[in-house]
Amino acid sequence: MEWWVSVPKVELHAHLNGSIRNSTLLELARELGDKGTIVFSDFEHVIRKNDRTLREVFKLFDLIHVVTTDHKTITRITKEVVEDFAAENVVYLELRTTPKRNDSIGMSKRSYMEAVVDGLRSVSSSNLDINFSCDDLEKFSKNQTKKKIIVRLLLSIDRRESTASAMETVNLALEMKDMGVIGIDLSGNPTVGEWATFFPALKFAREQGLSVTLHCGEVPNSVEIQAMLDFLPGRIGHACCFQDEEWRKLRSYKIPVEICLTSNIRTETISSVDVHHFADLYKENHPIVLCTDDTGVFSTSLSNEYALVSSAFGLGKMELFELARKAVDFIFAGNEVKMELMKVYESAATTL
Ligand code: 6MZ
């Protein structure tokens, strides 16, 4: 097994519907093709395409949502995505997803999220133990026989949503705190929507004790990027299209950055890995965490992202281990979970 696979890892930026296995996506599409709901060959062509611009990625998400958005499927993909992360030794996962309403199949944002939680519940098996609620952490940490993964949920607000819809998502997150929901993410096509639309809901979320992470700077937009940084989110994702003033704010506010190398390169948000801002942020010791974004859509894995950092920037084993370990500082879960993860890294350090 490659070393990066065996090292314990923390994943903080993973979108549920972007992390579906290709095999599952094709199976679901084939079923809908057989029913005549979609044309399977068109779908297959898009799924199998490797390089996509940012615009094409969002078209793909709309297509993915056509085949995944019913309760049974949401439960299934949640289970599979968690199992896939656990299989490559992700020990803590913050999984984000956009609660969806679809009246034609009786789906509300709440029932969508309940289907996600059902998926988490169904993960436990003979060789894998999951913890997704703070209540059971003590019992979970005592069980030493199985592989373990701690999962917490972030609810995403899609940039296509209105203020009222964003507020509904925040209220849902508050209602579902005891089911492992700990925060809010703002994501979706960065060329759509206005910061002012989401700001009231994000501000309310933070006032109510939820953590907030923002997709920030996937496209150039100085006014929005600066407003986002001044909001002082708990973390931001991407930070690709920053100007000098935005870098200055990011550094002075010390906002942790979720780095998604493969995603940024595949969507051509960054022209090549050697000019990626990872290098500068890493050298300056700015808080960063390696993440996947969408393992399915970008055919990557967290281990692959660590391997990429090693080959592109020449980081050795100890440096990569430290990078993985430091991610614990930036998780949104509380101290109890942090302590648990610190124990995992202490024990892993003895085997280096
Ligand atoms: C912005 C992204 C994204 O929520 O249906 N999403 N938003 N930038 C990205 N980088 C390329 N990757 C994924 O997962 C899919 C949704 O996550 C957001 C988009 O809103 C996409 O529709 P869920 O589980």
Side-chain angles (χ1 to χ4, degrees):
M1 188 194 286
E2 287 280 12
W3 182 78
W4 0 92
V5 179
S6 61
V7 75
K9 290 172 288 296
V10 165
E11 169 64 83
L12 301 183
H13 188 135
H15 298 269
L16 174 61
N17 277 280
S19 308
I20 305 170
R21 295 174 189 163
N22 256 5
S23 56
T24 299
L25 212 47
L26 289 169
E27 182 192 321
L28 295 168
R30 205 169 279 121
E31 278 170 24
L32 285 192
D34 290 347
K35 284 187 198 154
T37 317
I38 60 164
V39 178
F40 176 70
S41 55
D42 292 355
F43 193 91
E44 189 185 25
H45 175 73
V46 182
I47 296 288
R48 292 203 191 276
K49 191 168 182 260
N50 254 338
D51 285 323
R52 298 179 186 92
T53 62
L54 199 58
R55 202 166 60 89
E56 285 173 330
V57 162
F58 289 103
K59 276 206 216 145
L60 174 61
F61 279 124
D62 286 342
L63 212 53
I64 291 176
H65 290 143
V66 171
V67 300
T68 59
T69 310
D70 69 76
H71 296 109
K72 199 167 89 291
T73 306
I74 292 299
T75 299
R76 170 184 172 177
I77 63 173
T78 304
K79 177 177 191 286
E80 290 181 355
V81 166
V82 171
E83 285 172 352
D84 289 350
F85 277 114
E88 55 156 348
N89 289 308
V90 168
V91 288
Y92 175 84
L93 164 66
E94 277 176 23
L95 186 62
R96 54 185 80 187
T97 193
T98 321
K100 295 167 188 75
R101 181 177 157 186
N102 184 348
D103 293 338
S104 67
I105 55 163
M107 176 180 279
S108 62
K109 285 188 175 189
R110 184 169 181 108
S111 72
Y112 174 96
M113 283 313 302
E114 281 167 352
V116 170
V117 174
D118 281 348
L120 299 182
R121 269 195 203 104
S122 65
V123 164
S124 258
S125 69
S126 53
N127 54 7
L128 176 61
D129 203 4
I130 180 172
N131 168 278
F132 59 92
S133 126
C134 289
D135 301 347
D136 318 318
L137 199 60
E138 206 180 327
K139 196 172 107 216
F140 174 79
S141 55
K142 281 197 181 124
N143 185 344
Q144 297 298 335
T145 53
K146 295 185 195 177
K147 179 176 259 199
K148 296 198 239 176
I149 185 165
I150 299 175
V151 182
R152 295 291 183 268
L153 297 171
L154 307 180
L155 303 200
S156 299
I157 295 168
D158 187 309
R159 296 183 61 112
R160 288 176 291 197
E161 292 184 65
S162 63
T163 304
S165 177
M167 202 61 103
E168 188 190 342
T169 296
V170 172
N171 280 318
L172 179 60
L174 292 169
E175 283 165 33
M176 296 187 76
K177 268 184 159 177
D178 59 348
M179 286 175 238
V181 176
I182 54 171
I184 296 288
D185 156 56
L186 175 66
S187 54
N189 188 337
T191 62
V192 173
E194 302 285 330
W195 170 246
T197 308
F198 319 113
F199 175 75
L202 296 166
K203 182 168 169 282
F204 177 65
R206 197 169 49 195
E207 284 163 5
Q208 296 300 311
L210 291 166
S211 296
V212 176
T213 177
L214 306 172
H215 280 63
C216 179
E218 274 186 290
V219 291
N221 183 346
S222 276
V223 173
E224 178 179 280
I225 295 171
Q226 292 195 29
M228 283 182 165
L229 295 172
D230 288 337
F231 177 75
L232 299 177
R235 298 194 303 256
I236 60 166
H238 299 295
C240 296
C241 305
F242 276 29
Q243 305 290 325
D244 290 350
E245 178 58 10
E246 286 115 64
W247 286 124
R248 195 195 59 74
K249 280 187 192 262
L250 180 82
R251 287 177 176 121
S252 75
Y253 299 160
K254 295 193 171 55
I255 300 169
V257 183
E258 302 152 358
I259 299 273
C260 308
L261 287 169
T262 300
S263 161
N264 297 159
I265 286 147
R266 286 278 173 93
T267 56
E268 295 164 7
T269 321
I270 299 286
S271 58
S272 73
V273 71
D274 41 300
V275 296
H276 197 282
H277 44 287
F278 168 87
D280 285 342
L281 294 176
Y282 179 77
K283 265 187 234 135
E284 291 161 20
N285 212 8
H286 186 89
I288 46 175
V289 48
L290 290 187
C291 302
T292 55
D293 206 8
D294 301 288
T295 53
V297 168
F298 299 121
S299 308
T300 190
S301 65
L302 195 53
S303 311
N304 187 50
E305 298 302 302
Y306 277 82
L308 188 57
V309 160
S310 169
S311 63
F313 305 106
L315 268 64
K317 266 190 185 181
M318 284 311 291
E319 291 156 315
L320 288 172
F321 183 82
E322 270 308 295
L323 191 61
R325 195 188 57 76
K326 271 194 195 154
V328 175
D329 295 342
F330 317 127
I331 70 170
F332 284 161
N335 275 340
E336 229 189 324
V337 175
K338 280 192 181 154
M339 305 273 280
E340 181 64 25
L341 294 172
M342 270 145 70
K343 278 192 253 160
V344 171
Y345 279 97
E346 267 166 35
S347 145
T350 62
T351 65
L352 279 179

